[in-house]
Amino acid sequence: MSWRNSSSGRTPEEEEADYDPDLDLESDTDYDSDERENSPPRRRRRHEDEAQPMREDPPRIQEDRDAEPPLDVKRLEADAEIDNHYKKVKVLGAGAYAVTHEVLDAKNPGVRYAMKIQEKPERDSASAESDGKQNHLRMYKEVVILNIVLPRHKNIICLKDLLLSKNNVYIVQELCQELNLEDFYPVADNSSGRMIFKQLVEAVHFMHQFGVVHADLKAENILFSKPDFSECKIIDFGLAVYKPEWATRRRNNFDASEWFSEEELVTDDDLYEQATPATDIESLGRILFSIMAGTEVPVLSEELMNLDDNPYEPRYEIFDESAADLLENVMCPMVFRPDEAVEAPDLGQVLQHPWLAGEEIPAPPEEFLALSQESVQSSMDFAILQSNLTALADLFKDWLKSPATVMRDIDDLTMYYEATRSMLRGTKVMECVDVRDESRVYALKVLARVGEDANMTEEEVMNQPFRIYNELLIRLRILPRHDHLVSIVDVLVQKDFVVVVSELCEGPTLEEFFPLARNGTARHIFKQLAETVRFMHEFGVVHMDLHCHHIVVTDEHFTHCKIVQFSKALYDSELATRGYMFFDREAGRWINGDLEFMALDANVEVDIRALGRILHSMMAGIHTEDTSNLPPPRLDLFDPHAADLLSKIGPSPFGPDENQWNHMTLLQICQHPWLLLT
């Protein structure tokens, strides 16, 4: 089992002169030099190939002449040289014989891949004669199948590079999302289910045409290249089986005998030697069943449909009759008609089934085409959002400043920002520096998909992903930038977390300002707040949590403040009298039913009462949460106009009684004589 380049352009004598047995990955004869000398000739040495009779391919084989050439193997003198090619970012997974890392291309750090590193079994170890040797053979088969046997296919993981050292094999592949079929099942519907299942059938049919059976098709071996579940990739060919006699197509000039010995193709040690194309077809049936059930179906059997409160019942209300026919009569008849002996279907015929080859939906009129596409995509994104926050990257993909960055893990954050300290207003907000430019300092907040507050109700926990989306929608889309609203600089998303990076607002909160407040400074800050809240209301946004801890005074002279917290803000389209150019409130792509339901709680009176409590705290010189025992205002430090405004919007007993609220508007507040004074 020699690893060599598919086309080196060198003479047999030159290759033999450079041949190093330490770089040879023989599975059956390379562990001992005496064995190598007495072993039968290897078919992959070019000068030895001439002595081997070439088998003629059956006339049924169709050659693919347009396939891309296979990758050449790169030789490393030492394992440390791998750093010249790829930089490790983190471990994605580890097995008994290999570790897979996420890596950066050393020459192009913006490009990421997945790199599997497998150590060669030691010559003098017991594993070299058993498990290690067998696993090494499987890895060799996996690489040859992906690089030599199969041409590239959009739904099969793509090899990007192959490197070989004395001790290790490095297999570099394209990097997919961490999402797999199990994440897709709950959100699959008739349209998306048909799209993904057709991709899988086409990919498996393609493999079978080239004589390859995957033999391990399952949810974790089918990943998605995009967070919107629009394209899937089959990965992990470690258990794949290749049989030349199965093939009806082949790559141009490919001869199996150059890459596999007869023993390697029929080894008795191969646990999956009994795998046939029917193995993959049965797995595809289970996948279709899982798509329609909305959950992973463990096994296909006649008992599957006889369970009480059956969790695997196909969702016939979501899928059409054509999908049900493909499931029951073609892919899984053993479940629905167990007494009938039915052969595995031909995948070429499966692709012609009406559900997969049905007529295209007529295109809508041009004026509605773009809007319809956006609405469909948004519906898919909203469905995904509850279980995966990376859907936010698509929902905000045309954000004016820059798109959200998708992270595979929260640890990826260190590649962009480094937290330096907690902010005074709570440990959930951190000061951070941009690692790409340490002169840039920001505020960083992590929002979790699953709420961290132990007091949250079950409904609040379920709604948490939509609250995160709602906050970002308000700050990125609905509200224009404003001098007294903190601005978002960057957004990074991961399946379970969102990191919001905002401008840094250093300084005390309003609570620290209250003891120092006097008539002039209080009027100045309060006027900023009242006008800012009025601005928000004009765009349909009610803050709903205008607390002194959420407002920062940004300078030492107490002349400027910013609202920095929006987690409970709500958007009410009926309240809006103005609209931002980047938010079309008439379009349905931004607002779904969950947000409309949340908006029912929007109440401008909440913000006005909050302003009244802030005014009281300014005049009293202290903030207290106990509204039943409020301290009196320092009337000697404030003019009568301030006292008059307090009497109209302040908390009882210094303002109107709860039952006598006079609904003073924000316009009236902003035009009050106290705030008009210079």
Side-chain angles (χ1 to χ4, degrees):
M1 186 178 65
S2 300
W3 290 66
R4 63 166 176 80
N5 288 332
S6 57
S7 55
S8 65
R10 307 177 67 199
T11 66
E13 291 76 13
E14 289 173 327
E15 289 191 344
E16 181 66 15
D18 284 346
Y19 174 71
D20 182 349
D22 286 337
L23 294 179
D24 210 39
L25 301 185
E26 294 283 355
S27 66
D28 51 357
T29 61
D30 269 11
Y31 299 102
D32 184 90
S33 58
D34 293 334
E35 282 187 348
R36 187 183 299 109
E37 292 175 359
N38 298 323
S39 64
R42 305 300 296 159
R43 289 178 169 80
R44 288 180 299 284
R45 307 270 177 79
R46 294 189 173 190
H47 56 292
E48 294 172 350
D49 285 357
E50 297 172 359
Q52 296 293 328
M54 299 295 292
R55 296 181 302 174
E56 293 187 2
D57 292 311
R60 63 188 178 88
I61 297 290
Q62 171 189 339
E63 287 196 349
D64 277 44
R65 298 181 179 275
D66 297 330
E68 294 186 33
L71 298 170
D72 281 343
V73 178
K74 297 175 182 175
R75 302 278 177 163
L76 304 178
E77 294 297 326
D79 287 298
E81 291 182 10
I82 192 65
D83 293 335
N84 298 330
H85 299 270
Y86 301 99
K87 303 291 185 183
K88 296 176 185 176
V89 176
K90 64 177 181 179
V91 174
L92 296 176
Y97 301 101
V99 179
T100 302
H101 296 262
E102 180 177 331
V103 296
L104 299 176
D105 188 326
K107 298 178 181 178
N108 187 4
V111 179
R112 297 190 181 198
Y113 299 111
M115 182 170 71
K116 178 156 57 173
I117 306 174
Q118 177 159 328
E119 185 178 358
K120 298 181 190 177
E122 297 179 7
R123 297 175 185 274
D124 57 353
S125 67
S127 65
E129 299 299 329
S130 53
D131 293 344
K133 184 167 67 174
Q134 184 62 34
N135 194 69
H136 217 57
L137 170 60
R138 285 180 178 165
M139 189 174 192
Y140 173 78
K141 283 185 176 181
E142 177 179 7
V143 171
V144 174
I145 285 172
L146 286 173
N147 189 39
I148 306 297
V149 178
L150 291 176
R152 293 190 178 186
H153 188 282
K154 67 177 182 176
N155 300 116
I156 296 175
I157 198 70
C158 179
L159 287 186
K160 295 294 185 179
D161 206 355
L162 293 170
L163 304 98
L164 186 67
S165 73
K166 181 178 179 179
N167 301 312
N168 293 311
V169 182
Y170 301 88
I171 302 177
V172 182
Q173 300 174 323
E174 61 184 316
L175 183 67
C176 291
Q177 299 285 324
E178 291 184 343
L179 301 171
N180 63 34
L181 271 186
E182 205 162 357
D183 299 297
F184 172 67
Y185 291 150
V187 300
D189 58 16
N190 192 72
S191 177
S192 62
R194 175 173 59 183
M195 175 178 64
I196 294 303
F197 188 69
K198 184 175 182 179
Q199 290 179 17
L200 290 174
V201 175
E202 287 176 339
V204 175
H205 183 47
F206 177 83
M207 291 189 291
H208 289 184
Q209 288 177 318
F210 284 86
V212 175
V213 169
H214 187 279
D216 197 22
L217 289 173
K218 54 187 178 182
E220 54 263 43
N221 285 340
I222 300 170
L223 302 183
F224 287 86
S225 58
K226 300 176 183 178
D228 61 357
F229 295 114
S230 62
E231 184 178 79
C232 65
K233 301 270 187 181
I234 299 175
I235 68 165
D236 197 350
F237 282 71
L239 297 178
V241 177
Y242 169 68
K243 301 287 186 185
E245 58 268 27
W246 291 339
T248 59
R249 298 170 65 184
R250 73 172 185 187
R251 294 179 85 151
N252 188 30
N253 297 326
F254 171 73
D255 184 345
S257 64
E258 294 184 0
W259 298 94
F260 299 104
S261 68
E262 295 294 338
E263 293 80 8
E264 288 165 350
L265 288 173
V266 298
T267 172
D268 291 336
D269 293 333
D270 192 338
L271 299 178
Y272 280 70
E273 66 169 334
Q274 301 303 318
T276 68
T279 306
D280 286 348
I281 295 171
E282 181 176 339
S283 297
L284 284 172
R286 189 165 69 91
I287 288 171
L288 177 59
F289 210 125
S290 300
I291 288 174
M292 294 185 64
T295 187
E296 176 82 15
V297 174
V299 65
L300 296 179
S301 68
E302 58 182 296
E303 291 81 15
L304 196 62
M305 299 305 296
N306 298 324
L307 300 173
D308 295 332
D309 298 323
N310 191 352
Y312 309 118
E313 180 75 28
R315 297 171 297 170
Y316 291 116
E317 71 279 6
I318 294 178
F319 292 83
D320 61 28
E321 293 181 0
S322 182
D325 176 73
L326 180 61
L327 175 71
E328 297 178 5
N329 298 320
V330 181
M331 300 305 300
C332 301
M334 74 291 290
V335 176
F336 299 92
R337 303 195 310 277
D339 296 333
E340 297 183 19
V342 182
E343 293 185 359
D346 175 81
L347 290 183
Q349 295 175 348
V350 171
L351 287 170
Q352 298 304 312
H353 187 274
W355 192 54
L356 299 183
E359 295 183 2
E360 296 293 331
I361 299 174
E366 288 187 10
E367 59 267 28
F368 298 111
L369 183 59
L371 179 60
S372 298
Q373 290 174 339
E374 285 186 350
S375 298
V376 170
Q377 183 60 56
S378 295
S379 298
M380 290 181 63
D381 292 332
F382 281 126
I384 298 166
L385 183 62
Q386 200 150 19
S387 61
N388 191 328
L389 293 178
T390 59
L392 292 167
D394 279 325
L395 287 165
F396 293 109
K397 62 186 174 184
D398 56 346
W399 176 30
L400 178 63
K401 185 171 179 63
S402 63
T405 300
V406 177
M407 301 183 295
R408 293 178 63 86
D409 190 89
I410 194 64
D411 292 337
D412 283 6
L413 181 60
T414 58
M415 298 175 58
Y416 304 94
Y417 300 97
E418 179 182 354
T420 53
R421 65 182 177 92
S422 297
M423 303 294 287
L424 294 176
R425 54 184 176 274
T427 56
K428 291 184 178 180
V429 179
M430 305 286 292
E431 181 183 292
C432 69
V433 295
D434 189 330
V435 298
R436 298 155 292 186
D437 182 354
E438 294 187 358
S439 65
R440 297 179 179 180
V441 183
Y442 302 112
L444 179 151
K445 181 180 179 182
V446 178
L447 305 174
R449 179 174 61 84
V450 179
E452 299 174 344
D453 188 346
N455 296 321
M456 292 178 69
T457 65
E458 183 176 349
E459 182 179 1
E460 289 173 333
V461 171
M462 291 289 292
N463 287 334
Q464 180 69 2
F466 295 109
R467 288 200 170 274
I468 293 173
Y469 168 72
N470 178 73
E471 178 178 350
L472 292 176
L473 177 66
I474 287 172
R475 298 180 66 183
L476 295 177
R477 283 289 175 190
I478 298 176
L479 288 177
R481 288 179 178 260
H482 189 278
D483 195 37
H484 299 290
L485 298 175
V486 71
S487 298
I488 289 181
V489 175
D490 198 4
V491 177
L492 302 95
V493 297
Q494 189 264 349
K495 182 178 179 180
D496 297 313
F497 298 92
V498 173
V499 177
V500 180
V501 182
S502 306
E503 62 175 314
L504 181 64
C505 296
E506 291 191 283
T509 65
L510 270 191
E511 185 173 19
E512 296 166 85
F513 166 67
F514 292 151
L516 306 174
R518 298 296 185 266
N519 189 70
T521 54
R523 179 175 63 229
H524 190 75
I525 293 295
F526 189 81
K527 183 177 182 178
Q528 292 178 13
L529 288 175
E531 290 178 344
T532 303
V533 174
R534 179 188 171 195
F535 172 85
M536 294 170 60
H537 286 194
E538 288 176 343
F539 285 89
V541 176
V542 183
H543 191 277
M544 298 297 292
D545 193 22
L546 206 61
H547 193 282
C548 60
H549 293 162
H550 301 155
I551 302 164
V552 174
V553 180
T554 60
D555 68 314
E556 60 182 7
H557 300 294
F558 302 105
T559 62
H560 193 272
C561 69
K562 281 185 182 277
I563 300 174
V564 298
Q565 175 68 272
F566 296 84
S567 60
K568 295 185 180 180
L570 297 172
Y571 171 70
D572 182 356
S573 60
E574 295 183 1
L575 174 64
T577 58
R578 299 169 64 185
Y580 190 28
M581 61 183 294
F582 297 105
F583 176 72
D584 183 359
R585 55 181 172 171
E586 301 300 328
R589 68 165 294 192
W590 300 109
I591 307 294
N592 72 343
D594 296 274
L595 267 65
E596 290 177 345
F597 184 77
M598 289 165 55
L600 296 176
D601 292 330
N603 186 347
V604 296
E605 185 178 314
V606 173
D607 283 358
I608 296 175
R609 287 184 180 273
L611 285 172
R613 286 193 293 272
I614 288 173
L615 177 59
H616 169 266
S617 297
M618 286 180 174
M619 296 182 68
I622 189 173
H623 171 75
T624 177
E625 298 291 344
D626 184 7
T627 58
S628 64
N629 187 25
L630 295 174
R634 300 170 297 173
L635 297 178
D636 56 318
L637 299 179
F638 291 81
D639 68 32
H641 291 301
D644 177 72
L645 182 58
L646 179 65
S647 69
K648 294 178 179 178
I649 64 172
S652 178
F654 308 105
D657 185 78
E658 293 290 331
N659 299 322
Q660 298 177 345
W661 183 255
N662 61 4
H663 300 287
M664 189 177 188
T665 67
L666 272 167
L667 177 61
Q668 292 171 330
I669 293 173
C670 291
Q671 293 178 344
H672 188 272
W674 185 55
L675 299 184
L676 294 178
L677 292 174
T678 58

